[in-house]
Amino acid sequence: MSRHVVTVRCTDRPGLVAAVATAVAGAGGNIVDADQHTDEGVFCQRLVVDIPAADALTTAVRQAATSFDDVSVGVWPEQRRGRLAVAASSTGHCLWDLAGRCATGDLDAEIAVVVANTDAQRATAEQLGLPFVLVPQPANDSPDSREAHDEAVAAALESQGDIDVVVLARYMRILGAAFIDRFGTERIINIHHSFLPAFVGSNPYERAHQRGVKLIGATAHYVTAELDAGPIIAQQTVSVSHRAGPDDLRRQGRDLEALTLAAAVRAHLEHRVVVVGNRTVVF
Amino acid sequence: MSRHVVTVRCTDRPGLVAAVATAVAGAGGNIVDADQHTDEGVFCQRLVVDIPAADALTTAVRQAATSFDDVSVGVWPEQRRGRLAVAASSTGHCLWDLAGRCATGDLDAEIAVVVANTDAQRATAEQLGLPFVLVPQPANDSPDSREAHDEAVAAALESQGDIDVVVLARYMRILGAAFIDRFGTERIINIHHSFLPAFVGSNPYERAHQRGVKLIGATAHYVTAELDAGPIIAQQTVSVSHRAGPDDLRRQGRDLEALTLAAAVRAHLEHRVVVVGNRTVVF
Amino acid sequence: MSRHVVTVRCTDRPGLVAAVATAVAGAGGNIVDADQHTDEGVFCQRLVVDIPAADALTTAVRQAATSFDDVSVGVWPEQRRGRLAVAASSTGHCLWDLAGRCATGDLDAEIAVVVANTDAQRATAEQLGLPFVLVPQPANDSPDSREAHDEAVAAALESQGDIDVVVLARYMRILGAAFIDRFGTERIINIHHSFLPAFVGSNPYERAHQRGVKLIGATAHYVTAELDAGPIIAQQTVSVSHRAGPDDLRRQGRDLEALTLAAAVRAHLEHRVVVVGNRTVVF
Amino acid sequence: MSRHVVTVRCTDRPGLVAAVATAVAGAGGNIVDADQHTDEGVFCQRLVVDIPAADALTTAVRQAATSFDDVSVGVWPEQRRGRLAVAASSTGHCLWDLAGRCATGDLDAEIAVVVANTDAQRATAEQLGLPFVLVPQPANDSPDSREAHDEAVAAALESQGDIDVVVLARYMRILGAAFIDRFGTERIINIHHSFLPAFVGSNPYERAHQRGVKLIGATAHYVTAELDAGPIIAQQTVSVSHRAGPDDLRRQGRDLEALTLAAAVRAHLEHRVVVVGNRTVVF
């Protein structure tokens, strides 16, 4: 018996749950966990199935899916070590956090490469035994130099073999549309240090302090071409008091950022996230 | 089209999800929400189904269930005004909270009767237009007087017609096993003012203060014959500081108690709670 | 011995804490609780003092304050029943919540009047025994009609004698600058149903759903002439799942709104809130 | 100008705040933050003071304190790199978390030594560049062997020079009274993986699952001779669902444990924790 995850996304119509369940049962599988949701006419489902033969499961589910509209189906072994690429800039707390989770087995994953636009985290990466690639900021800012830079980042990532997800761990540089297209919008996760849609863009902690908010937040989202506007995967807040200046908010925010990012990476690796329009279903 | 809730609890075996889904589809129903869980070999499921004819749904599900072991099945209209009996003692915050939720439509329910062992909440009940029945403490404490008291409480409740759930809203008197048997352990909800299993019994806030805890809690649970030991439905905590003495804890605890109790009552009325052993599945 | 609250706000300079503490001690008072904060050069302090003669305390503190710059000082008995005016529109959950807190003694306050721009909450007010004044929306919208409307609201409030704070309990109409000047920006509290500064203005739950946020919030703030931009007193969020449509967010938001508003009203009545620029210190 | 922290603990009487504030002002200091609390007749205070000459501050505060009863006073520079000893057993998540906080500057501290009763975390310590000392479990369990073991642990710690605090980071062995006396009860912090006082002792996650709780917790406390009964410094909980078995609770608990422990260590290093009886004041 092995355990697999099955995901289905298609246009909703009556009978889908029965059709999939019947296919799984017909292949000799036992559904040990099931979750589904319909959002704006799109049916999403995630099953965990125990089955003697994975091939039979894949065949049966794909067979059933031929009668669904606009369907995409996935079948994955539940246990499979994920490979992360982490992009970092000046701060290292999210990198440390992810590395610790991989090292202790909290995340069933490894960091295949750290790519950075500054040298600030090189020592950290070396201490943690992680390959570190510096792709420095272009000296002059132009569409061409930006494209060349993104190209170099992409090459650095791809040189490490298959990557499941690119994690922007407080990476303070915007990646262009070409880069995003290359990796796919549902394969790049960013952590933004505010509760979006408040404080899009730079310096959210200073702006939060200036506005006098009583809580700060962090948002992990898939990256799209529009800044800080992609589908949100995870979001958390924590209360702050009037005593906290911008530096205190930054410090309190570090834990939030690391936790929220890790939650999103975990959900992604476990095939729990389905994007519908600009929203996510997180099973 | 009407919307119904279907619940199934039975011994787990492969093919149950498919069997139920096929039955629903066969009756012309569309599953709009589904959740399931297996706990220690017991399969639990809650479906929300849109269907033209409720009778066909009931028939189809019961039919499918004949092949399941140790099965219990329920089919209910999703919209159905619940009827609560509230038992109160000296404090009124949970009563006020429930009454407000019923009055504003937050809970699709009404309070059929308030039964109390003191007169403290009579004025509140009258202001809120709720029938109030005083069943005073027996003068002498003996098994007989306790049984007679419980009998009088039961009679007061039953005089109001069908009751979906008895809510012990900080009711400071223990109801005996005979009372519990009469109403059913899964039909009486108590709110205890601590995060159980810490501080079982009386004066939890004093004891919490004495222990120097940094958070206090509230626990809503089904009542069983053993004090504060029944299946937990909902539980919440809130941080407290060293500044809070027992009276402050009591004040901070009021919001927790009211919210936690309301969450449990809502889950119960929406048929989201399934008891397995001494644990609950809350869909 | 009676217990008083002392608040001080002035330009910061060395020796302020000593000067106030010496004055209190000189008047025979014992400081049982003290909190202070300096924000952008403004010193804020709140003391709780046990003292045999309140007059001596007031005299001593005012005397000490004569040497402070830009100073404002307050001395209040700690126990003093507050008087609220509540403005309501179509929904009643915040009104119910505040009324319950006043009735059960959770807030040491009473609702002196409910003023509304629709008749929706008249029955609630009557059931709760609260004076209800309808000031209907003007038939035509013009600067003059708006001013006349605000004037009528102000008159309705003032007819009830002294009011400590005007509470906009989901009051869905904007009050003009003249009204705000009349009551003072630090005497009108609004509850906005989002985590400001996200979703300023109308329909925040719809917009939150559309953006796919994973938490919703509520913000209680002092009202200023700019919409939803006044100093924030209290702010809370709660996690939401992909299952929640706008109506579900609205329901989940009700508890948040009521709790956040009540927290702000309590802090205001206990003289815990000091406004510095557009931020609040909440002791 | 340098910034110092002043702490005072003594028997309460009128005039203490004024006496300390006057002493600080007399020494030329400016109080930039002040907090105080009286618990069961014990007055506790923490000040942050800007001052040209630290010696003058110490002298002035000690001078003032001569007239206080049962007084203990501390004056520390605010910036001072703390030195931690970490005791570990089979799991490494708290060690990783603390090491990351030290490495990224989140905690102004360093881990001077890792001492362990198993070899499980040796590789982690070596990767992180931390001295690792194995003090294996005694082969036979007797009062003598336990004392010898504790003696060896103490020697390992002391060989590393001054230690500010011993952090039991999921160290699964009980240290005896002699060890605790040697280091002082307010210098050893343990993280227990439950919301104490629930689930004292071993296997709290299994017991939490068995009881069917809807939240799990973690508690950081000073170690005393009685197991899991020392003064609580920090405590957090997180909601869990019926889906979580003991292993899931263990995983969800890791974040809680690391965060709660780090909060307690930070508070300790910043001289925010004052023990009164078996409770803590955490400024």
Side-chain angles (χ1 to χ4, degrees):
Chain A
M1 274 290 180
S2 68
R3 187 159 284 190
H4 281 69
V5 174
V6 176
T7 59
V8 177
R9 172 169 54 180
C10 63
T11 303
D12 193 33
R13 65 160 170 79
L16 291 171
V17 171
V20 176
T22 303
V24 170
N30 187 27
I31 295 173
V32 294
D33 194 33
D35 208 349
Q36 64 159 62
H37 180 65
T38 300
D39 191 321
E40 302 196 342
V42 178
F43 171 84
C44 311
Q45 191 177 35
R46 179 183 186 272
L47 303 177
V48 180
V49 177
D50 280 347
I51 195 150
D55 287 355
L57 178 66
T58 307
T59 306
V61 172
R62 289 195 188 284
Q63 177 73 23
T66 54
S67 71
F68 304 169
D69 292 330
D70 285 320
V71 68
S72 68
V73 163
V75 181
W76 293 274
E78 197 193 41
Q79 301 288 333
R80 193 191 137 273
R81 196 160 176 75
R83 301 187 79 244
L84 315 180
V86 176
S89 291
S90 53
T91 60
H93 55 282
C94 287
L95 174 58
W96 258 96
D97 183 78
L98 289 169
R101 291 176 191 276
C102 292
T104 59
D106 179 64
L107 279 180
D108 183 15
E110 65 190 6
I111 297 178
V113 62
V114 178
V115 65
N117 62 337
T118 81
D119 242 348
Q121 298 308 314
R122 182 186 292 277
T124 298
E126 285 173 358
Q127 180 180 6
L128 300 175
L130 305 172
F132 180 87
V133 181
L134 174 66
V135 183
Q137 304 271 111
N140 65 327
D141 184 36
S142 71
D144 278 3
S145 73
R146 264 178 269 141
E147 200 173 309
H149 178 271
D150 287 6
E151 188 76 25
V153 172
L157 300 181
E158 288 171 353
S159 71
Q160 305 295 324
D162 280 352
I163 296 292
D164 288 294
V165 59
V166 180
V167 182
L168 308 186
R170 294 298 308 279
Y171 184 65
M172 304 310 281
R173 186 177 164 82
I174 297 170
L175 295 165
F179 182 93
I180 296 167
D181 283 349
R182 187 154 162 182
F183 280 89
T185 51
E186 296 170 24
R187 276 186 57 219
I188 311 172
I189 297 177
N190 182 48
I191 182 73
H192 184 72
H193 38 317
S194 80
F195 44 86
L196 290 175
F199 308 122
V200 165
S202 58
N203 295 325
Y205 290 127
E206 282 80 357
R207 289 150 66 202
H209 180 252
Q210 204 159 11
R211 178 61 187 92
V213 295
K214 296 299 183 191
L215 44 82
I216 56 171
T219 305
H221 62 93
Y222 283 125
V223 172
T224 57
E226 188 183 345
L227 181 64
D228 297 334
I232 296 172
I233 307 169
Q235 211 167 15
Q236 292 187 34
T237 56
V238 71
S239 293
V240 298
S241 98
H242 55 265
R243 294 187 192 285
D247 282 345
D248 303 297
L249 299 184
R250 223 169 268 123
R251 183 183 74 63
Q252 288 187 261
R254 282 196 293 258
D255 283 351
L256 265 192
E257 295 163 23
L259 285 170
T260 308
L261 180 57
V265 169
R266 183 190 309 280
H268 178 91
L269 291 175
E270 293 179 358
H271 310 290
R272 294 185 180 278
V273 191
V274 183
V275 174
V276 178
N278 199 43
R279 280 200 291 272
T280 62
V281 171
V282 183
F283 286 125
Chain B
M1 275 290 179
S2 68
R3 187 159 283 190
H4 282 69
V5 174
V6 176
T7 60
V8 178
R9 172 170 54 180
C10 64
T11 303
D12 193 33
R13 63 159 171 80
L16 290 172
V17 172
V20 177
T22 303
V24 170
N30 188 27
I31 295 174
V32 294
D33 194 34
D35 207 349
Q36 65 160 62
H37 180 66
T38 300
D39 191 321
E40 301 196 341
V42 178
F43 171 83
C44 311
Q45 191 177 35
R46 180 183 184 271
L47 304 176
V48 181
V49 176
D50 280 347
I51 194 149
D55 287 355
L57 178 65
T58 307
T59 305
V61 172
R62 290 196 187 284
Q63 177 74 23
T66 55
S67 71
F68 305 168
D69 291 330
D70 285 321
V71 68
S72 68
V73 163
V75 180
W76 294 274
E78 196 194 41
Q79 301 289 334
R80 193 190 137 274
R81 197 161 175 75
R83 300 188 80 245
L84 316 179
V86 176
S89 290
S90 53
T91 60
H93 55 283
C94 288
L95 174 59
W96 258 95
D97 183 78
L98 289 169
R101 290 175 192 276
C102 291
T104 60
D106 179 65
L107 279 180
D108 184 16
E110 65 189 7
I111 297 178
V113 63
V114 179
V115 64
N117 62 336
T118 81
D119 243 347
Q121 298 307 315
R122 181 187 292 277
T124 298
E126 284 173 359
Q127 179 180 6
L128 299 175
L130 305 172
F132 179 88
V133 180
L134 174 66
V135 183
Q137 304 271 110
N140 64 326
D141 183 37
S142 70
D144 278 3
S145 73
R146 264 178 268 142
E147 200 172 309
H149 179 269
D150 287 6
E151 187 77 26
V153 172
L157 300 182
E158 288 171 352
S159 72
Q160 305 295 324
D162 280 352
I163 296 293
D164 288 295
V165 59
V166 180
V167 182
L168 309 186
R170 295 297 308 279
Y171 183 67
M172 304 309 281
R173 186 178 164 80
I174 297 170
L175 295 165
F179 182 93
I180 296 167
D181 283 349
R182 187 156 163 181
F183 280 89
T185 50
E186 296 170 24
R187 277 186 55 219
I188 311 171
I189 297 177
N190 182 48
I191 182 72
H192 184 71
H193 38 316
S194 80
F195 45 86
L196 290 175
F199 308 122
V200 165
S202 58
N203 295 324
Y205 291 126
E206 282 80 357
R207 288 151 67 203
H209 180 252
Q210 204 159 11
R211 179 61 188 92
V213 295
K214 297 299 184 190
L215 44 82
I216 55 171
T219 305
H221 62 94
Y222 284 125
V223 172
T224 57
E226 189 183 343
L227 181 65
D228 298 334
I232 295 172
I233 307 169
Q235 212 167 15
Q236 292 188 34
T237 56
V238 71
S239 293
V240 297
S241 98
H242 55 264
R243 294 187 192 285
D247 282 344
D248 303 296
L249 299 184
R250 223 169 268 124
R251 183 183 74 63
Q252 288 186 262
R254 282 196 294 258
D255 283 352
L256 266 192
E257 295 163 22
L259 286 170
T260 307
L261 180 57
V265 169
R266 183 190 309 280
H268 178 91
L269 292 175
E270 294 179 357
H271 309 290
R272 295 184 179 278
V273 190
V274 183
V275 175
V276 178
N278 199 43
R279 279 201 292 272
T280 63
V281 171
V282 182
F283 286 124
Chain C
M1 274 291 179
S2 68
R3 188 158 283 190
H4 281 68
V5 175
V6 176
T7 59
V8 178
R9 172 169 55 180
C10 63
T11 304
D12 193 32
R13 66 161 170 77
L16 290 172
V17 171
V20 176
T22 303
V24 170
N30 188 27
I31 295 173
V32 294
D33 194 33
D35 208 349
Q36 65 158 61
H37 180 65
T38 300
D39 191 320
E40 301 196 342
V42 178
F43 171 84
C44 311
Q45 192 177 36
R46 180 183 184 271
L47 304 175
V48 179
V49 177
D50 280 347
I51 195 149
D55 287 355
L57 178 65
T58 307
T59 306
V61 172
R62 289 195 187 283
Q63 177 73 24
T66 54
S67 70
F68 305 168
D69 292 330
D70 286 321
V71 67
S72 68
V73 163
V75 181
W76 294 273
E78 197 194 41
Q79 300 288 335
R80 193 190 136 275
R81 195 159 176 75
R83 301 188 80 245
L84 316 179
V86 176
S89 291
S90 54
T91 60
H93 55 283
C94 288
L95 174 58
W96 258 96
D97 184 77
L98 289 168
R101 290 175 191 277
C102 291
T104 60
D106 179 64
L107 278 180
D108 183 15
E110 65 190 6
I111 296 177
V113 62
V114 178
V115 64
N117 63 337
T118 80
D119 242 348
Q121 297 307 314
R122 183 187 292 276
T124 299
E126 284 173 359
Q127 180 181 6
L128 300 174
L130 305 172
F132 180 87
V133 181
L134 173 66
V135 184
Q137 304 271 111
N140 65 326
D141 183 36
S142 71
D144 278 3
S145 74
R146 264 178 267 140
E147 200 172 310
H149 179 269
D150 287 7
E151 188 75 25
V153 172
L157 299 181
E158 287 171 352
S159 71
Q160 304 295 324
D162 280 352
I163 295 293
D164 288 294
V165 59
V166 180
V167 182
L168 309 186
R170 296 296 308 278
Y171 184 65
M172 303 310 281
R173 187 179 162 81
I174 297 170
L175 295 165
F179 182 93
I180 296 168
D181 283 348
R182 187 156 164 181
F183 279 89
T185 50
E186 297 172 21
R187 277 184 57 219
I188 311 172
I189 297 176
N190 181 48
I191 182 73
H192 184 72
H193 38 317
S194 80
F195 45 85
L196 290 175
F199 308 122
V200 165
S202 58
N203 294 326
Y205 290 127
E206 280 80 357
R207 289 150 67 204
H209 180 251
Q210 204 159 11
R211 179 61 187 91
V213 295
K214 295 301 183 188
L215 43 81
I216 56 169
T219 306
H221 63 93
Y222 283 125
V223 172
T224 58
E226 188 183 344
L227 181 65
D228 296 335
I232 295 171
I233 307 169
Q235 209 165 18
Q236 292 187 35
T237 55
V238 71
S239 294
V240 296
S241 97
H242 55 264
R243 294 187 193 284
D247 282 344
D248 303 296
L249 299 183
R250 222 169 269 124
R251 184 184 73 63
Q252 287 187 262
R254 282 196 294 257
D255 283 352
L256 265 192
E257 295 163 22
L259 286 170
T260 306
L261 180 57
V265 169
R266 184 190 309 280
H268 178 91
L269 292 175
E270 294 179 357
H271 309 289
R272 294 184 180 279
V273 191
V274 183
V275 174
V276 179
N278 200 43
R279 278 201 291 271
T280 62
V281 171
V282 182
F283 287 125
Chain D
M1 275 291 178
S2 68
R3 188 158 284 189
H4 281 68
V5 174
V6 176
T7 59
V8 178
R9 171 170 54 180
C10 64
T11 303
D12 192 33
R13 65 160 169 77
L16 290 172
V17 171
V20 176
T22 303
V24 170
N30 188 26
I31 296 173
V32 295
D33 194 34
D35 208 348
Q36 66 159 59
H37 180 65
T38 299
D39 191 321
E40 300 196 342
V42 178
F43 171 84
C44 311
Q45 192 178 35
R46 180 183 186 271
L47 304 176
V48 180
V49 177
D50 280 347
I51 195 150
D55 287 356
L57 178 65
T58 307
T59 306
V61 173
R62 288 194 188 286
Q63 178 72 25
T66 54
S67 71
F68 305 168
D69 292 330
D70 286 321
V71 67
S72 67
V73 164
V75 181
W76 294 273
E78 197 194 40
Q79 300 288 336
R80 193 190 136 275
R81 196 160 175 76
R83 301 188 80 245
L84 315 179
V86 176
S89 290
S90 54
T91 60
H93 55 283
C94 288
L95 174 58
W96 258 96
D97 184 77
L98 289 169
R101 290 176 191 276
C102 291
T104 59
D106 179 64
L107 278 180
D108 183 16
E110 65 189 6
I111 297 177
V113 62
V114 178
V115 64
N117 62 336
T118 80
D119 243 347
Q121 297 307 315
R122 181 185 293 275
T124 298
E126 285 172 0
Q127 180 181 6
L128 299 175
L130 304 173
F132 179 87
V133 181
L134 174 67
V135 183
Q137 304 271 110
N140 65 327
D141 183 36
S142 71
D144 278 3
S145 74
R146 265 178 267 141
E147 200 173 309
H149 179 270
D150 288 6
E151 188 76 26
V153 172
L157 299 181
E158 288 171 351
S159 71
Q160 305 295 324
D162 280 351
I163 295 292
D164 288 295
V165 60
V166 180
V167 182
L168 309 186
R170 295 296 309 278
Y171 184 65
M172 304 310 281
R173 188 178 161 81
I174 296 170
L175 294 165
F179 182 94
I180 296 167
D181 283 349
R182 187 156 165 182
F183 280 89
T185 50
E186 297 171 23
R187 278 185 57 220
I188 311 171
I189 297 176
N190 181 48
I191 182 72
H192 184 72
H193 38 316
S194 81
F195 45 85
L196 291 174
F199 308 122
V200 165
S202 57
N203 294 326
Y205 291 127
E206 281 80 357
R207 288 150 67 203
H209 180 253
Q210 203 159 12
R211 179 60 188 92
V213 296
K214 296 300 183 188
L215 42 83
I216 56 171
T219 305
H221 63 93
Y222 283 126
V223 172
T224 58
E226 188 183 344
L227 181 66
D228 297 333
I232 295 171
I233 307 169
Q235 210 166 17
Q236 292 188 34
T237 55
V238 71
S239 293
V240 296
S241 97
H242 56 264
R243 295 187 192 284
D247 282 344
D248 303 296
L249 299 184
R250 223 169 268 124
R251 184 184 73 63
Q252 289 187 260
R254 282 196 294 257
D255 283 352
L256 264 192
E257 295 164 22
L259 286 170
T260 307
L261 180 57
V265 170
R266 183 190 309 280
H268 179 91
L269 292 175
E270 294 179 356
H271 309 289
R272 295 183 179 279
V273 190
V274 183
V275 174
V276 178
N278 200 43
R279 280 201 291 271
T280 63
V281 171
V282 183
F283 287 125

